[in-house]
Amino acid sequence: MTSRIPRDSRLRLVGRAPLAAPVRTVAEGRPRRPAPRPPEGTPPPTELARAARTVLAGAAALARWSAEALRPAATGPLRTPPAPRGHEGTLSPAQAGKAAAALGLRPAEVRAHWDAARLAGLVETHGGHARPGWRLRAWDRDDMAVLRGWVALFDAWSLFHPAHAESATPIDPTAVAEVVEAMPQLLSVLQLSAGTAPREELLDLLDQRITELRDARCELPAPGLTVPAPAPLPELFDWALDRLAGVGALTLPEGDGGEIALTPLGSWAVWVKLEQICVAAQSPAGNIEQSAEDMLRGCVRLRPGEARAEYRAWIAARTVGTAVQELLDAARGDDALLRQLAFEALRAVGAPAEPGVREVSADLPLRPYALLWLAEQEGGDAEDAHALLTREESTWLWIDTAAALNDHGDTELLVRHIEAAHQPTIPALLDEVRAAGHPLTVQVLLALAAAHPDPALAKAVRRAAFQVHTGG
């Protein structure tokens, strides 16, 4: 009852072994897209992670300080004061003063480091309070966790408030939105031109791009409405450059002349974004425009690598928040196979999916999957992660996985799935399965009885299915 099932494919048996695709498809004959290589001269991941740790050293130090200084108990949240929506988890002036004194920083630097810590996932906000993020625990040992945290900060560059960028003059929100929308093209041009370009050249390109965006919207003012004068573009450009330099993506020349340059981190991040666009344009199985449910169904018969490529292409064509929400909505349904596939796709999303997964970790259909997913994100082993589940949750997940195997049509793995159960005997397993309350219990037991070669065991399983059906 406790023998291991080999990890030979992508869907997971009760969080342990994956489910193999039983048939070969036309997609298997397609040429594989070679793994993309970063531009020549890009530092190795270890060096990039070292640079990211340097950029976020102050944020990491502040996150560690807050974990000890602001926590009322060993497992409690950081007590940050109430704040307007979108600003939850902000340090109070008194807390910022304590941090400044403890770390030898100015209050403005504390605010900048706190912004960076929140945006990079070193600090998380839950229920209006802040707490240390899982990425903080992995900070010193996991280079990819560090790089993902820095990329999250890079993606949110317009929200970052560097200490030296305090401005007494408010900036027009519409003009800011236009600059934020136009900057990715400028960064792409910068990356494709060996990473450097004169400031005036980039400013001219920004002006052209904003004009294109305004022309594409074709916005006409209402009759009698006075159109406000646009904000001075050079000031907005300097604001954007300052924010991007603050997150470590750019280096700026002194004075008005000179060239703006991408840092190695910035160049690598822009290359990653360009590759994501290329992947989205080369969806392996053509599901990129489909809903999450249809995309997942389209991946059922793909080989593991092809399915992961399809997940990544589908995700890259959407904002992360939209992709995560669609996948979780698909997982909430009655289809156990879709639930398994949805969490495989969420593994392709990685750390940015964590807030959404945490939100559903209290819902029974998704709770076991969410707890195992979160444990994996925190660096835990899938075998050990089962200790996080209650016996009832483990049994519920066992039934759900069996239902997915049945939908997948793999009777061999369905039979071997009995061996993956936590219960030591078949009678104990059937007792707990009958008590689990899973809506697909009868179908699962009947499928097991039909597939199992042992007549005595099959008879016992059919009897259990009858008892569940009749309420016995």
Side-chain angles (χ1 to χ4, degrees), residues 171-364:
I171 302 176
D172 177 17
T174 302
V176 169
E178 290 176 338
V179 171
V180 171
E181 187 176 358
M183 283 305 293
Q185 187 181 61
L186 264 70
L187 294 174
S188 300
V189 170
L190 198 56
Q191 202 268 348
L192 295 171
S193 60
T196 63
R199 180 185 182 282
E200 293 305 317
E201 181 179 310
L202 289 176
L203 178 58
D204 183 59
L205 182 60
L206 177 64
D207 190 12
Q208 295 178 39
R209 179 58 180 156
I210 290 177
T211 301
E212 291 172 358
L213 293 173
R214 290 172 179 170
D215 291 343
R217 286 196 296 266
C218 296
E219 295 176 348
L220 298 175
L225 182 65
T226 302
V227 180
L233 193 58
E235 293 183 14
L236 289 173
F237 186 45
D238 288 339
W239 166 81
L241 295 178
D242 192 60
R243 295 291 172 96
L244 285 163
V247 301
L250 295 178
T251 56
L252 305 180
E254 296 183 3
D256 295 333
E259 293 199 339
I260 296 166
L262 284 168
T263 64
L265 268 177
S267 178
W268 170 78
V270 174
W271 171 78
V272 168
K273 300 301 176 184
L274 291 173
E275 276 300 311
Q276 288 177 346
I277 295 172
C278 292
V279 168
Q282 299 181 27
S283 170
N287 292 300
I288 189 172
E289 300 296 336
Q290 303 296 324
S291 66
E293 181 174 335
D294 291 340
M295 181 274 293
L296 294 172
R297 293 190 190 281
C299 291
V300 169
R301 301 299 181 181
L302 295 180
R303 293 193 301 187
E306 292 164 345
R308 285 191 293 271
E310 193 72 2
Y311 299 150
R312 287 194 293 267
W314 186 87
I315 293 162
R318 292 155 177 79
T319 63
V320 172
T322 299
V324 170
Q325 190 59 54
E326 286 192 40
L327 290 170
L328 290 174
D329 288 343
R332 284 191 178 93
D334 297 330
D335 193 319
L337 180 57
L338 281 186
R339 195 154 30 248
Q340 296 260 355
L341 291 169
F343 274 85
E344 286 298 311
L346 287 167
R347 287 182 175 90
V349 177
E354 184 181 355
V357 175
R358 284 196 184 279
E359 286 184 7
V360 303
S361 62
D363 303 338
L364 176 58

